Amino acid sequence: MRKLFSGLTALTIFIFSQLAIQAQTTGSIAGTVVDQNGAVVPNATVTVKGESGQEFTASTGSNGLYNIPAVPSGFYTVTVTGTGFKTAVTTNVKVDVGLPTTVDSRLEVGDVGETVE
């Protein structure tokens, strides 16, 4: 009887975990922003813009890390700006449902008006 109960419990947990995965409709974008010497860049602004106009913004912490959760699946452009640095742009970033996407950026010293792709 115990084997039947534990088997049913395991099956129930498996079914509900699969339903939870199927119910997700978003992924995430996270990464690290560094300068050309590899030093982290705190307080950089990271903007993620989707093909349909969706836009998400985050700032890097003191460790240069950022995280943007709950990004719908699709393709995005990630733009990173920081004071005293050129703007970095990464295009065609694919976000899949339930998966983290990593976009690390390297900023070069220069005017924000200058763009590095």
Side-chain angles (χ1 to χ4, degrees), residues 19-43:
L19 289 174
I21 289 170
Q22 291 175 1
Q24 283 185 322
T25 59
T26 63
S28 64
I29 298 178
T32 305
V33 178
V34 297
D35 66 15
Q36 67 267 14
N37 296 320
V40 298
V41 178
N43 302 315

Side-chain angles (χ1 to χ4, degrees), residues 15-70:
I15 289 171
F16 280 112
S17 67
Q18 293 302 309
L19 289 174
I21 289 170
Q22 291 175 1
Q24 283 185 322
T25 59
T26 63
S28 64
I29 298 178
T32 305
V33 178
V34 297
D35 66 15
Q36 67 267 14
N37 296 320
V40 298
V41 178
N43 302 315
T45 300
V46 180
T47 304
V48 173
K49 189 166 184 176
E51 294 175 327
S52 62
Q54 304 143 302
E55 191 169 296
F56 306 90
T57 304
S59 294
T60 57
S62 60
N63 56 3
L65 298 175
Y66 72 92
N67 181 38
I68 302 174

Side-chain angles (χ1 to χ4, degrees), residues 33 41 44-47 60 66 78-82 85-90 103-107 112:
V33 178
V41 178
T45 300
V46 180
T47 304
T60 57
Y66 72 92
V78 178
T79 304
V80 182
T81 58
F85 294 98
K86 297 177 185 178
T87 299
V89 178
T90 305
V103 178
D104 295 326
S105 295
R106 181 175 299 272
L107 297 181
V112 163

